[in-house]
Amino acid sequence: MSGGLASRRRVIGGTPLLSLRVPLGGRTVGVRLKMEAENSFGSIKARTAHALLGSLEAAGRLGPGSRVVESTSGNLGVALAGLCAQRGYRCTLVVEPGTPRRSREEMAAYGAEVVVVGEVAGGRTLGARLAAVREILAHDRTAVWTDQYENPANPLAHQWGTAAELARALPEHRLDAVSVAVSTGGTLAGIARYFREHRPRTRLLAVDAVGSAALGGKAADRPFKLAGFGSGQRSRFLTGDEWDRALTVHDVHAALVCRRLAESTGVRLGGSGGATVLAALLHAIDAPGDAEVVCVCPDAGDKYEQIFAHPLPAQPEPDRAVLTVLESLGAARLENGEPQ
């Protein structure tokens, strides 16, 4: 069960939940996966791209002859490329060498120009991407930056889209925690705004990568770097009030979760989805009263060769808690076997 359904679906929003039952420490934890791969263009970033373009169009900054420019690790670029092709905008996307090959190919297939910057040591490749964006803006008056990092349309897309859908799907259902991977922070910021007002008892888990600066840590090299979560700079959308607990996980361990979940249930998540599942179950170990969690899974695993098609690094070795999660996921089962 990978991204195949996504390719048949051509709408944004209304994505389904998959329900898992995971045995953990003598109890069962209900894990619901918000399957964002079933958006148009295969990821949660379809919501973001639609909102970013819409905000610029409403402000009169985009029109005939415009060139959309953005820095992306993959999913947003695919969605922007597809939407720009539909709306008649030229599109230039700045990526890095670690951006999945399939994502780059999809961007190009939609007609986008794809600019690849070189890898920069010390977790600073994002800075190189942003410098390339600014260079394009300086030399092309038709270029307009969608700016996923600071455009307020980013969190708004998830406040009134992703979060509101979750609340409608589980109106009376117990919901102890929502696990959200962080990169720009827009998804978590939007979900937090909605849940703080409408479901204040639900705990919000911010999931970052070891070596990421998204939540205020120091950027560092991530030798095995998964696209889609973590960042070389601090989120402009998050102040610290948006989450009840922050968890940082190793990219390798998130990839191990993706593999284990695929083996036991057939559900293939991308790396950021694996990170949210890992964090949710690590949280559940520490909070035995929390038995129902939602994991926002930004995409599917079909394009991530580094997770599913190649050997994973042996280091860092999983600690006891991560090993417990992996063992529990080996016995995980889909509740109904199909999306809700």
Side-chain angles (χ1 to χ4, degrees):
M1 189 176 301
S2 62
L5 290 175
S7 64
R8 298 198 296 269
R9 206 167 180 276
R10 280 294 172 262
V11 295
I12 297 175
T15 55
L17 291 170
L18 281 181
S19 296
L20 300 180
R21 308 308 293 178
V22 183
L24 185 71
R27 73 189 201 279
T28 298
V29 177
V31 178
R32 294 173 186 260
L33 308 178
K34 181 71 165 158
M35 299 297 285
E36 290 294 299
E38 296 199 36
N39 282 300
S40 289
F41 312 110
S43 83
I44 196 170
K45 292 296 189 178
R47 300 178 189 266
T48 310
H50 177 73
L52 294 174
L53 292 175
S55 71
L56 295 173
E57 289 169 337
R61 294 180 57 198
L62 275 180
S66 293
R67 176 189 185 189
V68 169
V69 182
E70 186 57 278
S71 154
T72 173
S73 62
N75 285 332
L76 181 66
V78 173
L80 281 175
L83 289 173
C84 284
Q86 292 176 3
R87 300 182 188 193
Y89 303 129
R90 291 172 295 139
C91 184
T92 298
L93 301 163
V94 181
V95 304
E96 58 192 68
T99 299
R101 175 178 54 84
R102 177 171 157 183
S103 295
R104 285 187 269 174
E105 291 173 348
E106 289 180 355
M107 294 175 208
Y110 283 120
E113 176 190 15
V114 181
V115 177
V116 184
V117 302
E119 195 73 37
V120 182
R124 294 179 289 117
T125 305
L126 174 59
R129 284 173 19 206
L130 294 176
V133 168
R134 295 186 181 100
E135 182 73 10
I136 293 167
L137 296 173
H139 290 88
D140 184 352
R141 292 186 177 182
T142 71
V144 182
W145 185 16
T146 43
D147 194 3
Q148 64 166 320
Y149 309 95
E150 297 195 48
N151 188 330
N154 182 345
L156 284 171
H158 303 290
Q159 180 177 357
W160 301 114
T162 316
E165 284 177 24
L166 278 173
R168 288 195 299 268
L170 303 168
E172 306 297 333
H173 196 278
R174 174 180 173 181
L175 180 52
D176 295 309
V178 177
S179 181
V180 185
V182 175
S183 180
T184 67
T187 304
L188 177 60
I191 290 175
R193 290 175 192 172
Y194 189 93
F195 271 80
R196 294 301 194 210
E197 179 178 356
H198 299 282
R199 302 285 285 268
R201 294 184 179 180
T202 300
R203 290 197 257 194
L204 296 167
L205 309 179
V207 186
D208 202 2
V210 174
S212 163
L215 296 181
K218 184 177 180 180
D221 284 332
R222 293 161 62 190
F224 181 80
K225 181 181 178 182
L226 298 177
F229 84 119
S231 176
Q233 68 178 20
R234 183 166 187 163
S235 168
R236 304 290 200 271
F237 298 120
L238 301 175
T239 64
D241 295 331
E242 297 83 2
W243 66 84
D244 297 290
R245 184 178 181 187
L247 298 98
T248 56
V249 301
H250 288 283
D251 294 87
V252 174
H253 299 164
L256 286 170
V257 165
C258 291
R259 285 192 172 187
R260 186 60 56 87
L261 193 60
E263 292 166 359
S264 62
T265 68
V267 176
R268 289 167 64 95
L269 301 178
S272 53
T276 66
V277 173
L278 173 56
L281 292 173
L282 289 173
H283 170 74
I285 290 172
D286 296 335
D290 285 6
E292 298 290 338
V293 298
V294 166
C295 298
V296 178
C297 301
D299 63 0
D302 47 329
K303 61 180 169 286
Y304 293 108
E305 295 179 358
Q306 71 179 132
I307 297 176
F308 293 104
H310 302 294
L312 297 178
Q315 298 294 329
E317 294 184 2
D319 61 18
R320 183 183 297 274
V322 173
L323 288 172
T324 297
V325 168
L326 292 171
E327 181 180 359
S328 297
L329 285 172
R333 295 293 178 265
L334 286 172
E335 194 167 44
N336 299 313
E338 292 292 338
Q340 283 195 173

